[in-house]
Amino acid sequence: MLMGGLIMERLSGKVALVTGAARGQGRAHAIRLASEGADIIAFDSCSAFKSTNYDPSTLADLEETAKLVEAQGRRVIWRQLDARDFPAVKDLVEEGTRELGRLDVVVLNHGICHYGYTWEVTEENWDEVISVNLTSVWKVLKAVVPFMREQGEGGSIIITSSVAGVRGNPFLAPYVCSKHALVGLTKTLANELGQNRIRVNTVLPGGVMTPMAGFDWNGEKGESNPFAGELNKPEIAATLGPIFMNALPDKWIEPDDVANTVAFLASDESKFITGTEIPVDLGSTAR
Ligand SMILES: NC(=O)c1ccc[n+]([C@@H]2O[C@H](COP(=O)([O-])OP(=O)(O)OC[C@H]3O[C@@H](n4cnc5c(N)ncnc54)[C@H](O)[C@@H]3O)[C@@H](O)[C@H]2O)c1
């Protein structure tokens, strides 16, 4: 961060774990936290999901994130693994903390998105979204929290929910349920970890220009939402359209916009903020 010509390294000497780090917001968070002085532990499954209709990230994407972290002059320990695999997550946390010496910041960013009317979602898709977006977030917490408590120096956990974590977005039932649950999980954990000075907050992004939302690396928009056309139907637009409107006159935000908030929550500038959800959503939840 550049302030008055001085480089501010708010996370000097800290170590941060970022999940879903191969691309999109996770990559932006890893680079941003590294630019603020943190060494990084990163992972991503880099594999396809049955419930998604956008391209999966690749091992090459994750390798590129690791290179971009190193380009910030920071160390990185990274691995391809699925957050649903608790032993593998625990193993990486053990390796990362052994190599880098500590763990101060955890950014639980990974997630998947599935579209469908609630009654048409298959059991398989329901289970996959809930297990990735909710249960595996809990698994990563289960792997990192004992280490952070034992370290005894506080810390900051940031969980990526969504505007769909506080609102009933249509066509997204398992996603909405998982993201609402993350808001609750954040509050419970913030209460449990307050005495350890470990803060727990969630960010609620609006539409972000990533592959999940159909964007490619050049910022070109394809369509990953098969229900987008529905919103052009006058009867649907009149009733459901306002749910997707923003207060600011823009439609999309960039991964770096979310990374700015994540870096703030990771830093001591937010030392008295815990148990809360922070929208980065162009004002959409204010409507
Ligand atoms: N893009 C949006 O419009 C938007 C809006 C609100 C919230 N979000 C949330 O932001 C987060 C980041 O999404 P993004 O927009 O960068 O999407 P993305 O698809 O570009 O990146 C998500 C990354 O998470 C990884 N991942 C998914 N499940 C995983 C698992 N089980 N284990 C390890 N890695 C896994 C994917 O492989 C992918 O690389 C997600 O939690 C998403 O739900 C996105």
Side-chain angles (χ1 to χ4, degrees), residues 53 114-120 170-172 223-233 236 240 244:
N53 62 346
H114 175 75
Y115 288 93
Y117 275 110
T118 303
W119 55 94
E120 288 171 356
F171 325 128
L172 284 167
E223 200 44 84
S224 68
N225 173 2
F227 282 81
E230 287 287 286
L231 294 168
N232 296 328
K233 294 181 186 161
I236 303 267
L240 300 183
F244 297 97

Side-chain angles (χ1 to χ4, degrees), residues 163 167 169 206-207 231 236-251 281-287:
V163 290
R167 207 168 47 191
N169 292 44
L231 294 168
I236 303 267
T239 51
L240 300 183
I243 296 175
F244 297 97
M245 286 179 176
N246 301 324
L248 291 171
D250 306 283
K251 191 162 180 208
D281 69 344
L282 298 158
S284 85
T285 50
R287 296 181 72 90

Side-chain angles (χ1 to χ4, degrees), residues 172-252:
L172 284 167
Y175 187 80
V176 164
C177 291
S178 62
K179 295 298 188 181
H180 270 70
L182 293 181
V183 173
L185 180 61
T186 296
K187 291 181 199 295
T188 290
L189 194 60
N191 283 321
E192 291 173 344
L193 293 178
Q195 62 189 319
N196 302 102
R197 291 204 175 275
I198 299 171
R199 301 180 294 108
V200 191
N201 292 288
T202 179
V203 287
L204 312 178
V208 191
M209 299 169 72
T210 69
M212 179 184 283
F215 286 88
D216 68 16
W217 291 119
N218 300 318
E220 295 297 324
K221 177 84 175 99
E223 200 44 84
S224 68
N225 173 2
F227 282 81
E230 287 287 286
L231 294 168
N232 296 328
K233 294 181 186 161
E235 67 281 14
I236 303 267
T239 51
L240 300 183
I243 296 175
F244 297 97
M245 286 179 176
N246 301 324
L248 291 171
D250 306 283
K251 191 162 180 208
W252 298 98

Side-chain angles (χ1 to χ4, degrees), residues 106-109 137 141 155-161 182-191 193 197-204 261-262 264-267 269-279:
V106 176
V107 185
L108 283 145
N109 158 82
V137 169
L141 290 167
S156 176
I157 296 173
I158 300 130
I159 299 177
T160 302
S161 175
L182 293 181
V183 173
L185 180 61
T186 296
K187 291 181 199 295
T188 290
L189 194 60
N191 283 321
L193 293 178
R197 291 204 175 275
I198 299 171
R199 301 180 294 108
V200 191
N201 292 288
T202 179
V203 287
L204 312 178
T261 300
V262 165
F264 165 70
L265 287 172
S267 79
E269 284 177 23
S270 60
K271 65 177 182 241
F272 294 136
I273 300 177
T274 194
T276 194
E277 57 271 3
I278 302 196

Side-chain angles (χ1 to χ4, degrees), residues 80-181:
Q80 178 182 11
L81 68 85
D82 193 307
R84 291 172 291 181
D85 182 349
F86 179 64
V89 174
K90 210 162 169 284
D91 203 51
L92 175 64
V93 171
E94 276 165 20
E95 185 198 339
T97 52
R98 193 173 56 245
E99 292 293 319
L100 301 177
R102 50 187 301 115
L103 182 60
D104 307 279
V105 175
V106 176
V107 185
L108 283 145
N109 158 82
H110 69 277
I112 55 173
C113 188
H114 175 75
Y115 288 93
Y117 275 110
T118 303
W119 55 94
E120 288 171 356
V121 175
T122 67
E123 286 179 69
E124 190 179 37
N125 289 336
W126 181 276
D127 288 344
E128 188 178 59
V129 175
I130 298 294
S131 74
V132 169
N133 288 6
L134 174 59
T135 311
S136 79
V137 169
W138 164 73
K139 288 185 186 185
V140 178
L141 290 167
K142 197 168 160 57
V144 296
V145 167
F147 181 90
M148 293 173 84
R149 290 183 75 232
E150 177 73 18
Q151 185 172 267
E153 293 180 40
S156 176
I157 296 173
I158 300 130
I159 299 177
T160 302
S161 175
S162 164
V163 290
V166 292
R167 207 168 47 191
N169 292 44
F171 325 128
L172 284 167
Y175 187 80
V176 164
C177 291
S178 62
K179 295 298 188 181
H180 270 70

